[in-house]
């Protein structure tokens, strides 16, 4: 049994495991001579699909055959599909290709993958999570669990050094996304007498369209306009090959500027060689607004936890290699900034978590120690499992849509049984009633949303039903449970509704208190929901 942790990133992915001493190590992507794998897929032709750096080289010249940033699409209601050579791929399938490539990297070095933990942003809802898990399964992996990226980063940080209770701000600036998370690490007594370090997410914020790509774009435009000036051309005169030449050099130039004060790029501008010199100062001036944008998100996230006092700021994500980031964060949090393997910390944390979980699974399945010397002994992993406990929080608010019959007009509201940020597993119960006497059935709809209110009034369609998605509160219909009522059920009959949310989904249960009939469903995703348009079969809040 081999257990791995995977950071399935928007722009770069990474796979790690624990070595025989229980230390996390990243499996190197030798083909690209890198610790990470570019999350880019190039559909060259029917028989050849390329993932990684080689796919990236085709972004400008074959843009219609290259798929990138697919993580932004996964599990989204408007998820688009991609068709190449007559075959259509969903974002889940594209993600599976990236995961399969990671698997292939491990296998090409003689390893095998049995169990994995895949990381997801803390703000991912149920569907994004379930789609990520599905992608892992499609790639032939047994997905033990998912873990929030900032939690994984904090786990790899506290595995490095013993820490007392701390509040950590994880500043994760990747390639396409910026995530700010406040996590709390606390020592709490465990069931078996010792102490465990508990990691809890307190607040999340950020922007899923802000990342290293924006820095690349600024540099791209800078170099492009320098090339135009030098050759007396306008941007429209620049050929696609030249653009690809600039595009492929931009990221490297950016990385060099993290090390050096000045760098040079040589571009073949429509056949004539042009040299562009960029200084770090110029680059910082070009992108200062982007840095400021990230700091605004830091402020708005901190505002969600006014009582938290930050002890440590963890810099995570490849873009935090840029000195301007470290400087800006250091200026705001003097002496508190920590940075270790920013582009690998998430995968390493996932590997630690996977190993902790894998132990339990393997114990159950085989009762045997992991095979081979490649992975840590059972004792080592038991030690880890005893040291940490990861407490995740609900990524969304969850609850049923019910009708408030008080007043003159029926109002459809979503009651948030379980609110965003509650400790998981979270359970809540409430009693409702049929809308009218002799109602034959109840359609109990379950929703998720981003509101912290007890109840919200969602946007409704012309039939008065909530829209399947409501961007204002990120309302999303997860599914529905049909509760059949016996003949002659009076409208005063109590229907007890329970929601239970854990890492794998939402369990909804309804009990007719008059008959004790129980109805239940387990919702992971909304993709197959067939929604009845009629409003009659719902539940109402009050008994009068
Ligand atoms: P993801 O967003 O997919 O989680 P990463 O955290 O690995 O990915 O971040 C990738 C981003 O980090 C890319 O934009 C990449 O160009 C950038 N990056 C990586 N190394 C450096 C570096 N040394 N200097 C500047 N940017 C870097
Ligand atoms: Mg990342």
């Amino acid at each position: 049994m081999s257990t791995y942790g995977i950071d399935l990133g928007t722009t770069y992915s990474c796979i790690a495991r624990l070595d025989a001493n229980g230390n996390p190590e990243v499996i190197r992507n030798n083909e690209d001579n890198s610790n990470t794998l570019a999350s880019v897929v190039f559909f060259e032709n029917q028989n050849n699909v390329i993932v990684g750096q080689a796919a990236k080289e085709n972004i400008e010249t074959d843009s219609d055959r290259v798929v990138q940033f697919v993580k932004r699409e996964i599990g989204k209601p408007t998820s688009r599909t991609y068709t190449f050579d007559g075959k259509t791929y969903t974002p889940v399938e594209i993600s599976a290709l990236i995961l399969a490539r990671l698997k292939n990297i491990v296998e090409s070095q003689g390893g095998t993958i049995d169990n994995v933990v895949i990381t997801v942003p803390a703000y991912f809802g149920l569907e994004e999570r379930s789609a990520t898990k599905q992608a892992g399964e499609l790639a032939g992996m047994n997905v033990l669990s998912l873990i929030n990226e900032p939690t994984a980063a904090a786990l790899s940080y506290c595995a490095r050094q013993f820490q007392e209770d701390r509040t950590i701000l994880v500043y994760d600036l990747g390639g396409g996304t910026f995530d700010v998370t406040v996590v709390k690490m606390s020592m709490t007594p465990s069931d078996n007498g010792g102490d465990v370090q508990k990691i809890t997410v307190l607040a999340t914020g950020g922007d899923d369209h802000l990342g290293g790509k924006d820095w690349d774009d600024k540099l791209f435009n800078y170099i492009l306009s320098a090339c135009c000036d030098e050759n007396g051309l306008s941007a429209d005169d620049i050929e696609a090959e030249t653009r690809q030449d600039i595009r492929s050099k931009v990221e490297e130039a950016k990385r060099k500027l993290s090390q050096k004060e000045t760098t040079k790029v040589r571009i073949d501008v429509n056949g004539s060689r042009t040299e562009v010199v960029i200084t770090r100062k110029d680059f910082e001036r070009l992108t200062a607004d982007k840095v400021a944008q990230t700091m605004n998100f830091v402020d708005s996230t901190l505002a969600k936890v006014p009582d938290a006092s930050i002890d440590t700021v963890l810099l995570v994500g490849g873009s935090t290699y840029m000195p301007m980031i470290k400087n800006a964060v250091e200026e705001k949090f003097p002496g508190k900034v920590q940075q270790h393997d920013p582009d690998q910390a998430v995968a390493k944390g996932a590997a630690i978590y996977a190993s902790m979980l894998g132990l339990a699974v393997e114990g159950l399945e085989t009762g045997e120690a992991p095979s081979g010397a490649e992975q840590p002994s059972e004792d080592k992993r038991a030690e880890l499992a005893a040291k940490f406990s990861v407490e995740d929080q609900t990524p969304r608010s969850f609850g049923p849509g019910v009708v408030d019959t008080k007043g003159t007009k029926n109002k459809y509201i979503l009651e948030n049984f379980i609110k965003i940020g509650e400790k998981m597993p979270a359970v809540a119960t409430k009693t409702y009633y049929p809308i009218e006497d002799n109602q034959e059935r109840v359609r109990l709809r379950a929703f998720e949303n981003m509101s912290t209110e007890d109840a919200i009034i969602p946007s409704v369609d012309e039939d008065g039903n909530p829209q399947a998605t409501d961007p204002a509160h990120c309302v999303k219909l997860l599914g529905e449970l049909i509760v059949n009522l016996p003949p002659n059920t009076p409208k005063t009959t109590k229907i007890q509704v329970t929601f239970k949310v854990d890492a794998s989904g939402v369990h909804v249960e309804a009990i007719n208190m008059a008959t004790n009939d129980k109805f239940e469903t387990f919702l992971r995703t909304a993709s197959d929901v067939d929604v009845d348009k009629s409003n009659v079969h719902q539940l109402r809040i009050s008994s009068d």
Side-chain angles (χ1 to χ4, degrees), residues 7 9 149 172:
D7 170 6
E149 283 157 15
D172 180 353

Side-chain angles (χ1 to χ4, degrees), residues 258-451:
S258 294
Q259 308 271 314
K260 306 192 299 175
E261 297 280 347
T262 309
T263 189
K264 261 186 221 158
V265 283
R266 289 184 189 86
I267 308 290
D268 192 9
V269 184
N270 302 0
S272 114
R273 206 170 165 80
T274 304
E275 198 172 86
V276 181
V277 176
I278 311 133
T279 66
R280 188 189 286 170
K281 272 214 164 57
D282 282 340
F283 182 46
E284 293 186 347
R285 189 177 37 75
L286 279 177
T287 54
D289 59 326
K290 293 287 153 196
V291 180
Q293 236 174 307
T294 70
M295 298 314 285
N296 288 339
F297 283 113
V298 168
D299 288 337
S300 58
T301 308
L302 282 175
K304 295 179 187 170
V305 276
D307 298 335
S309 121
I310 304 298
D311 301 303
T312 302
V313 179
L314 263 191
L315 294 183
V316 178
S319 297
T320 65
Y321 278 119
M322 293 187 291
M324 65 178 101
I325 299 297
K326 199 165 179 184
N327 295 343
V329 180
E330 187 69 53
E331 196 175 313
K332 193 172 170 69
F333 301 95
K336 294 183 175 172
V337 180
Q338 296 262 352
Q339 186 185 38
H340 304 283
D341 315 323
D343 51 352
Q344 300 164 40
V346 169
K348 286 181 172 177
I352 297 172
Y353 190 54
S355 204
M356 284 158 54
L357 293 181
L359 183 71
V361 171
E362 286 152 29
L364 278 178
E365 280 178 357
T366 64
E368 288 167 13
S371 59
E374 55 169 17
Q375 299 254 301
S377 69
E378 198 165 334
D379 284 354
K380 261 268 168 324
R381 295 195 294 161
E383 204 181 292
L384 270 178
K387 205 160 129 196
F388 299 111
S389 109
V390 173
E391 186 175 276
D392 262 331
Q393 294 184 296
T394 52
R396 291 282 191 282
S397 297
F398 297 94
V402 287
V403 176
D404 186 356
T405 48
K406 283 203 184 119
T408 47
K409 204 163 173 249
N410 286 355
K411 223 174 8 185
Y412 199 93
I413 64 173
L414 305 189
E415 289 218 279
N416 278 335
F417 269 29
I418 291 166
K419 278 190 251 168
I420 187 165
E422 272 180 41
K423 201 159 94 175
M424 286 204 290
V427 190
T429 297
K430 206 171 163 180
T431 302
Y432 296 107
Y433 306 86
I435 298 256
E436 54 195 21
D437 288 332
N438 308 324
Q439 188 170 320
E440 284 172 18
R441 59 193 170 139
V442 162
R443 283 189 173 259
L444 177 61
R445 290 177 188 159
F447 290 89
E448 69 171 27
N449 64 83
M450 292 284 263
S451 167

